[in-house]
């Protein structure tokens, strides 16, 4: 892939405000987008995320009524993804999730598991100092990495996307809980992303220059 092709992909991606509801993303193309999230980097490989793919139309209508930042995107997109982040108690060294991740997913030997948990405990004590809000922020920041990768993979396939944070947090949570899609003890509602195909062409991107953004230390 040339530099020009990379720039074309990055310029293709924009916050699509309305999608062509008659066009649907194929199963294989959308699986690659999900793989972009699954294979994203996370601090210490803890994968503190979960992706809800909302295709039920009546549920989308409910969500759109409490999402001022997605009133056009949610009903018209091909696929709607809600990204959840694990709550602080799920990410602590002695949680059942961390034990499952280390023993069953990573399949570490017992000694390595205990060493890894020790490192997590050290981070809890030194960086986060038992501040659950700081740990939640950390969890959400990891999830945003997955979100960015999913949107970039989408653009690589000429598929549009729009990340949405403009919603009533409590109202969306209540809708998800009502439909048994959210356990607030385990997960925190972090972000929505709509995927599909644009109905209108975007305006050209405007960005600060690299000279304004980048400081070289030589």
């Amino acid at each position: 892939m040339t530099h020009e092709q990379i720039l074309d992909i990055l310029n293709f991606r924009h916050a699509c405000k309305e999608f062509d509801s008659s066009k649907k993303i194929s199963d294989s193309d959308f699986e690659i987008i999900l793989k972009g999230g699954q294979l994203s980097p996370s601090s210490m490989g803890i994968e503190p995320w979960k992706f809800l793919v909302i295709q039920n139309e009546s549920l989308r209508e409910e969500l759109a009524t409490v999402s001022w930042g997605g009133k056009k995107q949610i009903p018209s997109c091909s696929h709607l993804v809600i990204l959840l982040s694990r709550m602080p108690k799920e990410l602590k060294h002695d949680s059942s999730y961390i034990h499952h991740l280390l023993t069953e997913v990573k399949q570490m030997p017992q000694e390595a598991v205990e060493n890894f948990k020790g490192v997590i405990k050290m981070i809890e004590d030194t960086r986060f100092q038992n501040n659950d809000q700081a740990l939640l922020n950390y969890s959400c920041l990891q999830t945003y990495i997955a979100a960015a990768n999913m949107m970039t993979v989408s653009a690589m396939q000429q598929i549009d996307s729009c990340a949405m944070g403009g919603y009533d947090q409590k109202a969306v949570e209540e809708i998800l809980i009502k439909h048994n899609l959210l356990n607030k003890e385990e997960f925190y509602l972090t972000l929505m992303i709509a995927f599909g195909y644009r109905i209108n062409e975007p305006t050209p991107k405007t960005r600060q220059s690299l000279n304004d953004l980048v400081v070289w230390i030589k």
Side-chain angles (χ1 to χ4, degrees):
M1 185 178 290
T2 66
H3 292 174
E4 288 76 13
Q5 288 172 321
I6 293 171
L7 288 174
D8 284 345
I9 289 167
L10 295 175
N11 279 303
F12 175 88
R13 190 221 57 79
H14 73 291
C16 186
K17 301 305 182 186
E18 186 174 6
F19 298 89
D20 186 340
S21 59
S22 69
K23 295 182 179 179
K24 301 300 179 185
I25 303 170
S26 71
D27 290 345
S28 59
D29 286 348
F30 194 70
E31 183 176 357
I32 294 299
I33 293 172
L34 292 176
K35 286 284 187 182
Q38 178 196 28
L39 296 173
S40 294
S42 61
S43 178
M44 299 185 69
I46 58 173
E47 303 174 52
W49 45 59
K50 187 173 185 179
F51 312 135
L52 306 179
V53 184
I54 311 295
Q55 298 302 85
N56 182 281
E57 290 187 11
S58 62
L59 177 52
R60 281 198 194 184
E61 289 173 6
E62 281 189 80
L63 293 168
T65 62
V66 295
S67 304
W68 61 88
K71 286 194 178 298
K72 289 185 176 181
Q73 296 94 321
I74 292 174
S76 65
C77 69
S78 171
H79 289 65
L80 175 67
V81 179
I82 295 179
L83 292 88
L84 308 177
S85 303
R86 289 193 177 270
M87 293 294 285
K89 74 178 187 65
E90 291 284 294
L91 300 180
K92 293 185 177 178
H93 72 284
D94 55 354
S95 72
S96 59
Y97 170 71
I98 291 297
H99 185 76
H100 160 76
L101 187 72
L102 300 181
T103 59
E104 298 183 40
V105 178
K106 298 183 181 298
Q107 298 186 345
M108 290 182 173
Q110 187 59 37
E111 182 179 356
V113 167
E114 295 307 316
N115 288 339
F116 202 102
K117 288 181 179 180
V119 172
I120 295 176
K121 179 66 165 63
M122 180 269 293
I123 294 171
E124 289 171 19
D125 294 340
T126 56
R127 177 175 175 182
F128 298 110
Q129 300 179 5
N130 296 313
N131 184 332
D132 280 356
Q133 185 58 54
L135 187 51
L136 177 60
N137 292 342
Y138 162 84
S139 180
C140 291
L141 288 173
Q142 307 305 307
T143 302
Y144 270 89
I145 296 173
N149 276 354
M150 291 169 74
M151 289 188 288
T152 301
V153 170
S154 177
M156 292 174 73
Q157 302 181 91
Q158 298 284 291
I159 295 170
D160 292 293
S161 62
C162 185
M164 299 172 291
Y167 48 78
D168 183 324
Q169 180 87 13
K170 183 178 179 181
V172 173
E173 287 176 348
E174 288 175 351
I175 291 170
L176 296 178
I177 290 168
K178 180 178 69 175
H179 290 275
N180 296 314
L181 295 173
L182 175 65
N183 179 345
K184 288 183 67 174
E185 293 293 313
E186 297 179 354
F187 289 99
Y188 177 82
L189 169 63
T190 302
L191 183 70
M192 297 185 190
I193 308 178
F195 294 94
Y197 296 95
R198 67 188 65 178
I199 199 167
N200 299 307
E201 287 301 314
T203 56
K205 271 188 169 64
T206 58
R207 293 291 190 273
Q208 297 181 68
S209 72
L210 282 180
N211 286 338
D212 290 333
L213 295 176
V214 180
V215 177
W216 289 80
I217 296 90
K218 296 183 179 180

